[in-house]
């Protein structure tokens, strides 16, 4: 019995952790490159989730089977979201590179604006979620929603792909160089501004993919992005702002506290425990678990 | 504590500015204005918008029928809504705007936290407050100018428990989950003793923070008690849906109750259809059932088209508050809030549910509660089915 | 004279930090293939001159010409594409990346893989002790080695003009010696070199031309050999 609970908690931690990882990757990428926190990151997630809930039934009504409909909807949604992200960068953020306060005000303002816009366009009621991969699967005799398995698999793949491209591609190395020292990077001929934009658009795409993946299991409302932003942000801070492995570690750290704490002492206390543990970590390692001094 | 604390004051201020621009300040002198302090953005926006819409609906009907006659002078009525963001800070700023800037003397406020902020002003300045909150703490003899507008757990709880006791005679144990805020804490404090009093063992009562996105650990903990009844009184629909879905994944049987669940479709959005099957709701309006007529259904249809939700327990309060106010004014033949407050406990008004009087002394010590019926409904295949209509008598 | 004879020309540039003037009316001319040094005390504005040339600090007035073209205010990455390379003050390596990655990034603007591989081989011939440590994080290297890496990285862009900002600061004498030789080597390969230095002795020994900067102003310019002979320089900078 004890071990069944243990298995269950491990699985739940992985489920929750993979969601936070998906959300955190973009945040940490943006911080690494631009040295700003994007408080509108959750809005990209929300826009994407909402669009998927609209497009999937629409495409299904036009005769597409559910999986192709979902893939097409996700591709469209990511494209639309990245276009919005381009606008945000080109007409806003480009003026606030490495300006923590300026970017804070800008992105928070944008988050509010988009909150209000989405509310008036889509309404505040939770949107019916498309069923993409229905039912449950059994893992070590524990029932898990199939969509959670999909999210977990996607999180592993996306994280792996991101990790690979950051270490093995020219763009990835240039982005890491910018994160390490943007002036030195420019002195090697790396176009800082253009690559900042590219990095921001990659981060936006990650948020959009996360939104599309979570649409079938999360609540889909204009406000949902903000809820994820808080835990995603804490994951990034605990892991070390700007660090991709840090974001993964931070996300798992928070997920384990939420799962184990939530089960043994209750959800409200678990939320408090997350805050307390984040503070403890930051007292011991002010730059996060994998942050650089 | 709210997880969006940082965003909220700014958001509130921005929304207020926008709201102020749109709605404007003082209205014409021969219009009686009911101020509305509602969440018009964020997660509670659907309730706030519905309530405002229903208030406008009542106002339109009243105006069409000739307005309000006070000592030979005819007044029009109107609703003035601002966004309270569901927070104390938002509530305080809306209260100041409505009472001090706009000079409005009658307010309907939604949410325990905003009400606490509003009530300290209305009671002191002599304004009438229609109280749209689940709790009891802001209702009673200490607040002579505060009136209830809808069925809260004090009314819904006994009706549901009575129904459950009759339907599931072998059920003996309960676990509860509530939102960790003023609403959830207050409701829990009302509901838990009710279960105990009815002979049930409450094995555990838990709280979770608003803004929680993952409910699997909570569901696992709820399941571990193997209780006969899982009571989820104050969960907002998306959260309720997620909990129900996770409970289903864990294979949890047991009677599940959403005491303030107002709509099957809102919960189904996150739960999916099968996880919601068989769940009981205490605050849903079975508008298609025998208790309602074509005229009421027409309003519901119109409401759904206008803001996406059919009529429900919460948004009907917008309609009823306006009707309560008008009935009070006509009976008192005065616009003075004290005079209206004195008249209200004895009036009958045209509630959305039909002709209704006041009671509630048993629960609150004073007759401030409109005696509305409680509908116990069950979700069957995504549709609400009437299970019981319980008349509340509280005189 | 044409841009070919003077690859880098600085005409009367002024720059300030938050209203406080840092350099005032500084003019430099680098002859093709020569080594030029700017010497001066700490705080004289030497680094500001480098940063103004490479676009990291905006100039208030004056012009920077690279191969005859006005490049004033151009971002550093554009200047690298035009043949300029910089070894910045404090080395500014990508500390959590490997030596190989640092050198690869040095060649970021180049697309000719064969040529890059050839230059990498050439650089490793110059720095034989780096060869076995290509996969080591550069923050593991000693200060002297890091300076070598910084120079090697700057060479990887195949520059025609190289700027070095205080290349010997904080290094042991034997390493200073090596850096000196290295600058000579780079120059002989056809690169025009400008380096700013606090260590006047080594600077005047290596350089062909020299400028003395004091409180942001050029107070003397001549061949390095001539300047080293003046009494003022001997007293103030060479400690003789």
């Amino acid at each position: 019995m004890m071990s069944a609970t243990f298995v269950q908690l491990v699985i739940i931690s992985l489920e929750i952790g993979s969601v936070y990882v998906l959300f955190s990757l973009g945040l940490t990428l943006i911080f690494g490159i631009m040295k700003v926190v994007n408080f509108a990151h959750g809005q990209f997630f929300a826009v994407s989730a909402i669009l998927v809930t609209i497009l999937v039934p629409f495409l299904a009504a036009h005769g597409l089977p559910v999986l192709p409909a979902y893939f097409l909807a996700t591709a469209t949604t990511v494209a639309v979201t990245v276009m919005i992200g381009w606008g945000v960068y080109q007409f806003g953020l480009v003026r606030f590179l490495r300006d923590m306060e300026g970017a804070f005000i800008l992105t928070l303002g944008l988050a509010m604006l988009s909150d209000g816009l989405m509310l008036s366009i889509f309404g505040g009621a939770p949107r019916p979620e498309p069923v993409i991969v229905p039912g449950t699967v059994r893992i070590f005799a524990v029932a898990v929603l199939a969509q959670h398995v999909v999210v977990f698999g996607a999180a592993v793949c996306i994280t792996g792909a991101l990790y690979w491209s950051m270490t093995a591609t020219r763009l990835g190395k240039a982005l890491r160089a910018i994160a390490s020292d943007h002036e030195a990077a420019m002195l090697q001929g790396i176009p800082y501004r253009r690559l900042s934009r590219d990095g921001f658009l990659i981060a936006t795409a990650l948020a959009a993919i996360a939104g599309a993946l979570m649409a079938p299991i999360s609540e889909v409302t204009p406000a949902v992005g903000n809820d994820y932003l808080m835990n995603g942000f804490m994951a990034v801070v605990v892991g070390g702002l700007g660090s991709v492995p840090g974001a993964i570690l931070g996300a798992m750290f928070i997920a384990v506290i939420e799962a184990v704490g939530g089960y043994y002492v209750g959800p409200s206390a678990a939320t408090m425990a997350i805050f307390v543990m984040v503070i403890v970590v930051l007292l011991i390692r002010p730059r996060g678990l994998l942050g650089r001094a | 504590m709210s997880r969006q604390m940082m965003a909220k004051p700014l958001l509130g201020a921005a929304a207020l500015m926008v709201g102020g621009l749109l709605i404007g300040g003082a209205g014409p002198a021969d219009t009686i204005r009911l101020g509305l302090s509602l969440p018009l953005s964020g997660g509670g926006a659907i309730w706030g918008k519905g309530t405002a819409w229903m208030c406008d609906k009542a106002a339109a009907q009243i105006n069409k029928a000739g307005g309000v006659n006070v000592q030979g002078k005819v007044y029009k009525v109107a609703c003035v809504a601002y966004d309270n963001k569901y927070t104390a800070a938002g509530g305080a700023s809306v209260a100041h705007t409505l009472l001090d800037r706009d000079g409005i003397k009658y307010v309907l406020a939604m949410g325990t936290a905003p009400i606490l902020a509003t009530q300290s002003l209305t009671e002191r300045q002599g304004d009438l407050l229609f109280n749209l909150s689940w709790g009891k703490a802001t209702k009673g003899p200490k607040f002579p100018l505060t009136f209830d507008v809808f069925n809260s757990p004090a009314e819904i709880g006994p009706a549901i428990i009575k129904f459950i006791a009759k339907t599931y005679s072998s059920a003996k144990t309960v676990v509860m989950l509530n939102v960790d805020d003023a609403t959830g804490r207050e409701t829990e404090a009302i509901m838990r003793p009710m279960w105990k009093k009815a002979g049930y063992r409450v094995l555990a009562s838990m709280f979770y923070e608003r803004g929680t996105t993952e409910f699997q650990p909570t569901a696992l903990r709820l399941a571990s008690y193997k209780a006969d009844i899982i009571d989820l009184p104050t969960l907002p629909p998306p959260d309720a849906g997620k909990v129900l879905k996770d409970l289903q994944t864990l294979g949890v049987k047991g009677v599940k109750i959403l005491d303030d669940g107002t709509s099957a479709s809102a919960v189904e959005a996150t739960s999916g259809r099968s996880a919601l099957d068989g769940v009981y709701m205490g605050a849903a309006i079975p508008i298609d059932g025998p208790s309602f007529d074509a005229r009421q259904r027409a309003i519901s249809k119109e409401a759904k088209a206008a803001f996406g939700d059919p009529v429900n327990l919460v948004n009907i309060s917008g309609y009823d508050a306006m009707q309560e106010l008008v009935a009070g004014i006509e009976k008192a033949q005065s616009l003075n809030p004290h005079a209206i407050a004195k008249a209200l406990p004895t009036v009958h008004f045209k509630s959305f549910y039909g002709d209704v009087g006041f009671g509630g002394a048993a629960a609150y010590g004073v007759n401030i509660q409109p005696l509305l019926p409680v509908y116990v409904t069950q979700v069957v295949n995504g549709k609400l089915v009437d299970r019981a209509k319980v008349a509340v008598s509280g005189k | 004279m044409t841009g070919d004879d003077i690859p880098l020309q600085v005409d009367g540039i002024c720059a300030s930090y938050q209203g406080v003037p840092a350099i005032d009316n500084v003019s430099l001319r680098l002859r093709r293939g020569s080594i030029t040094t700017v010497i001066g005390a700490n705080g004289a504005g030497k680094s500001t001159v480098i940063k103004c040339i490479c676009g990291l600090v905006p100039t208030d007035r004056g012009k920077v010409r690279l191969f005859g073209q006005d490049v004033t205010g151009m971002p550093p990455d554009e200047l690298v594409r035009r043949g300029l390379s910089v070894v910045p003050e404090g080395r500014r390596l990508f500390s959590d990346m490997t030596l190989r990655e640092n050198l690869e990034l040095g060649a970021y603007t180049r697309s000719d893989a064969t040529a890059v591989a050839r230059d990498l081989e050439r650089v490793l011939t110059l720095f034989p002790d780096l060869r076995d440590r290509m996969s080591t994080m550069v923050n593991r290297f000693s200060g002297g080695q890091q300076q070598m890496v910084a120079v090697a990285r700057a060479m990887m862009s195949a520059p025609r003009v190289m700027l070095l900002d205080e290349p010997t600061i904080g290094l042991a004498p034997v390493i200073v010696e090596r850096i000196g030789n290295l600058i000579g080597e780079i120059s002989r390969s056809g690169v025009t070199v400008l380096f700013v230095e606090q260590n006047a002795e080594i600077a005047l020994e290596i350089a062909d031309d020299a400028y003395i900067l004091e409180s942001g102003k050029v107070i003397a310019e001549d061949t390095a050999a001539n300047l080293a002979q003046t009494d003022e320089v001997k007293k103030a900078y060479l400690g003789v």
Side-chain angles (χ1 to χ4, degrees):
Chain A
M1 190 62 223
M2 188 60 210
S3 69
T5 304
F6 177 76
V7 171
Q8 189 101 43
L9 287 175
V10 168
I11 288 174
I12 288 174
S13 299
L14 289 173
E15 275 175 25
I16 301 177
S18 53
V19 175
Y20 293 160
V21 165
L22 279 176
F23 197 89
S24 313
L25 286 176
L27 267 185
T28 207
L29 204 58
I30 289 171
F31 183 85
I33 297 164
M34 302 161 70
K35 298 289 181 281
V36 300
V37 174
N38 177 19
F39 284 90
H41 196 65
Q43 304 299 320
F44 294 121
F45 177 94
V47 167
S48 167
I50 290 175
L51 287 180
V52 164
T53 62
I54 293 170
L55 283 174
V56 170
F58 173 80
L59 293 170
H62 286 70
L64 230 56
V66 68
L67 270 180
Y70 179 64
F71 285 126
L72 187 58
T74 301
T76 314
T77 293
V78 171
V80 169
T81 313
V82 167
M83 273 166 62
I84 298 171
W86 180 84
V88 166
Y89 183 86
Q90 209 62 20
F91 299 108
L93 267 179
V94 71
R95 291 170 183 79
F96 297 99
L97 297 177
R98 315 185 71 77
D99 175 357
M100 200 65 162
E101 290 91 2
F104 170 74
I105 293 167
L106 175 75
T107 57
L108 198 59
L110 281 174
M112 291 175 200
L113 179 69
S114 110
D115 224 28
L117 276 178
M118 284 197 282
L119 203 59
S120 58
I121 298 171
F122 304 115
R127 303 192 55 82
E129 293 164 1
V131 179
I132 309 301
V133 187
T136 57
V137 292
R138 297 216 152 256
I139 300 170
F140 298 116
V142 169
V144 182
L145 282 179
Q147 181 70 24
H148 266 302
V149 180
V150 171
V151 170
F152 177 77
V156 171
C157 292
I158 290 170
T159 308
L162 186 70
Y163 197 82
W164 174 81
S165 57
M166 289 302 275
T167 50
T169 69
R170 184 165 176 267
L171 173 66
K173 284 176 197 172
L175 290 176
R176 276 165 61 220
I178 289 173
S180 170
D181 184 336
H182 76 293
E183 285 186 348
M186 284 194 276
L187 292 177
Q188 312 314 315
I190 296 170
Y192 167 55
R193 278 171 189 272
R194 192 161 60 73
L195 290 201
S196 288
R197 181 199 64 199
D198 294 351
F200 182 77
L201 295 185
I202 294 171
T204 306
L206 286 172
I209 293 170
L213 280 167
M214 289 304 290
I217 39 178
S218 174
E219 68 193 81
V220 182
T221 66
V224 66
N226 285 334
D227 294 339
Y228 281 101
L229 181 68
M230 185 48 87
N231 278 343
F233 183 56
M234 283 197 293
V236 169
V237 169
V238 162
L241 275 163
S243 160
V244 167
I248 300 165
L249 194 65
M252 289 315 300
F253 175 84
I254 287 175
V256 168
I257 298 175
E258 192 166 0
V260 175
Y263 178 71
Y264 286 107
V265 290
S268 201
T271 306
M272 289 300 141
I274 292 174
F275 284 104
V276 171
M277 291 304 291
V278 167
I279 291 166
V280 168
V281 167
L282 292 183
L283 283 175
I284 300 167
R285 288 190 65 91
R287 285 179 183 272
L289 293 170
L290 298 183
R292 290 187 303 272
Chain B
M1 250 193 289
S2 163
R3 293 167 163 224
Q4 298 149 14
M5 247 176 14
M6 246 183 314
K8 274 183 173 164
L10 280 167
L11 248 163
L16 230 133
M17 271 161 56
V18 173
L21 286 173
L22 291 178
I23 298 164
D30 55 353
T31 299
I32 297 168
R33 289 169 299 152
L34 173 61
L36 306 177
S37 169
L38 306 168
L40 296 174
S41 57
I46 185 77
W47 289 343
K49 288 185 166 180
T51 305
W53 190 89
M54 287 295 281
C55 183
D56 286 336
K57 188 80 202 166
Q61 286 181 355
I62 290 161
N63 290 336
K64 200 174 162 204
V68 186
N69 193 321
V70 183
Q71 298 186 343
K73 189 170 173 356
V74 174
Y75 294 88
K76 297 263 179 214
V77 292
C79 313
V80 181
Y82 292 102
D83 185 6
N84 69 21
K85 287 299 299 172
Y86 240 155
T87 61
S93 98
V94 169
H96 275 293
T97 308
L98 283 171
L99 302 170
D100 299 338
R101 199 195 72 184
D102 294 356
I104 287 171
K105 307 209 70 62
Y106 326 105
V107 178
L108 168 69
M110 183 189 297
T112 301
I115 283 174
L116 284 167
T118 310
Q119 195 172 42
S120 60
L121 277 178
T122 52
E123 289 291 340
R124 197 170 66 228
Q125 299 186 357
D127 303 310
L128 206 59
L129 174 65
F130 295 102
N131 185 328
L132 185 42
S133 75
W134 295 112
K136 271 164 90 169
T138 53
K139 302 165 186 172
K142 276 197 293 183
F143 311 107
L145 294 172
T146 302
F147 287 83
D148 210 337
V149 277
F150 74 152
N151 283 332
S152 52
E155 290 79 45
I156 295 170
I160 284 210
I161 292 174
K162 196 169 139 193
F163 171 81
I164 295 289
K166 203 173 71 191
T167 317
Y168 300 92
S169 50
S170 61
K172 290 282 170 266
T173 52
V174 183
V175 286
M176 297 175 74
L177 175 68
N178 278 290
V179 178
D180 197 358
D181 63 5
T183 304
R185 290 274 170 192
E186 264 203 87
T187 303
E188 197 262 356
I190 295 169
M191 292 291 298
R192 193 159 40 115
M194 277 184 194
W195 284 112
K196 282 188 179 156
K197 213 174 126 199
Y200 290 87
R201 224 148 42 84
V202 179
L203 301 178
S205 178
M206 301 171 223
F207 294 90
Y208 74 94
E209 298 296 316
R210 256 189 215 282
T212 297
T213 54
E214 310 300 320
F215 287 92
Q216 298 102 309
T218 310
L220 191 60
R221 186 171 160 86
L222 281 172
S224 69
Y225 290 98
K226 303 191 190 312
D228 303 322
I229 297 162
I230 297 172
D231 190 22
L232 313 168
T234 47
L235 270 59
D239 296 355
K242 284 188 187 179
V243 171
L244 289 172
K245 190 191 224 169
D246 291 334
L247 286 173
Q248 185 196 32
T249 307
L250 293 169
V252 175
K253 305 274 177 277
V255 182
K256 301 172 192 83
I257 306 165
L258 305 177
D259 304 74
D260 69 357
T262 54
S263 140
S265 61
V267 181
E268 192 183 302
T270 50
S271 71
R273 180 150 292 184
S274 60
L276 186 58
D277 216 39
V279 171
Y280 289 99
M281 296 200 177
I285 307 300
I287 193 80
D288 296 320
S291 308
F292 293 89
D293 61 23
R295 190 187 55 90
Q296 290 160 317
R297 277 180 210 123
I299 293 178
S300 184
K301 226 179 227 148
E302 213 182 317
K304 188 161 172 88
F307 59 88
D309 227 16
V311 295
N312 61 41
L313 188 84
V314 173
N315 61 39
I316 286 174
S317 305
Y319 187 96
D320 279 12
M322 181 55 94
Q323 295 287 7
E324 275 183 44
L325 174 65
V326 168
I329 289 172
E330 286 190 325
K331 175 92 180 230
Q333 281 300 298
S334 163
L335 296 180
N336 181 317
H338 289 281
I340 300 166
K342 212 169 153 213
L344 266 175
T346 62
V347 304
H348 275 247
F349 70 97
K350 294 192 196 93
S351 157
F352 181 83
Y353 306 94
D355 197 52
V356 157
F358 277 81
Y364 305 108
V366 276
N367 289 323
I368 56 155
Q369 171 74 34
L371 296 176
L372 312 167
V374 174
Y375 301 93
V376 179
T377 56
Q378 189 177 24
V379 185
V380 177
N381 201 16
K383 293 259 178 298
L384 284 168
V385 178
D386 258 313
R387 288 299 182 222
K389 178 180 175 180
V390 184
V392 173
S393 67
K395 287 257 184 196
Chain C
M1 266 197 260
T2 67
D4 275 350
D5 298 322
I6 307 292
L8 181 68
Q9 180 170 349
V10 176
D11 285 333
I13 55 167
C14 304
S16 50
Y17 293 105
Q18 291 162 341
V20 181
I23 54 170
D24 182 12
N25 199 26
V26 170
S27 298
L28 309 171
R29 287 153 70 88
L30 271 61
R31 292 181 293 122
R32 187 151 72 99
S34 71
I35 302 174
T36 305
T37 187
V38 174
I39 57 174
N42 203 5
K46 303 187 299 294
S47 284
T48 308
V49 172
I50 296 277
K51 286 178 178 157
C52 283
I53 295 172
C54 69
L56 285 178
V57 167
T59 50
D60 299 336
R61 258 187 320 134
K63 288 254 179 294
V64 178
R65 283 177 215 280
L66 188 63
F67 303 113
Q69 283 179 315
D70 184 0
V71 296
T72 319
M74 233 176 228
D77 51 283
E78 182 54 38
L79 296 174
V80 175
R81 274 162 224 281
R82 290 166 181 246
L84 185 82
S85 182
V86 183
V87 179
E89 183 185 13
R91 305 185 277 267
R92 310 282 288 267
L93 298 178
F94 304 118
S95 58
D96 54 348
M97 297 173 85
T98 64
L99 171 58
R100 181 183 298 282
E101 287 173 324
N102 269 271
L103 296 181
E104 279 172 1
L105 287 163
Y108 182 83
T109 53
R110 303 170 69 190
S111 48
D112 181 351
T114 328
V116 171
R118 196 182 57 226
D119 281 355
L120 181 63
E121 193 49 45
R122 190 170 71 94
V123 164
L124 289 177
T125 321
L126 278 178
F127 306 98
D129 44 339
L130 296 182
R131 192 179 284 277
D132 299 332
R133 306 187 63 183
M134 291 299 277
S135 305
T136 310
M137 296 285 170
V138 294
N139 55 15
R140 300 278 195 79
F141 288 83
S142 70
Q145 284 170 324
Q146 289 195 11
Q147 189 63 55
M148 301 296 172
V149 175
V151 176
R153 184 180 65 177
M155 290 174 72
M156 286 302 293
S157 67
R160 288 187 285 161
V161 176
M162 188 188 283
L163 314 183
L164 298 95
D165 194 347
E166 306 263 19
T168 70
I169 198 163
L171 298 178
V174 56
I175 310 282
V176 172
E177 184 77 34
R178 252 190 97 181
I179 302 271
N181 293 338
L182 193 56
I183 292 175
E185 194 106 22
I186 292 168
S187 168
R188 277 191 293 282
S189 71
V191 179
T192 306
V193 176
L194 168 68
F195 73 109
V196 306
E197 220 3 288
Q198 220 176 328
N199 184 339
E201 195 183 339
I202 184 93
L204 294 176
E205 192 187 314
I206 310 164
D208 302 310
D209 299 332
Y211 293 77
I212 300 176
L213 201 63
E214 236 177 65
S215 306
K217 289 193 172 74
V218 174
I219 56 155
E221 55 173 290
D222 206 332
T223 61
N226 286 349
L227 270 185
Q229 296 308 313
T230 61
D231 290 342
E232 280 158 300
V233 170
K234 277 184 180 165
K235 214 155 90 190
Y237 295 100
L238 300 176
V240 179

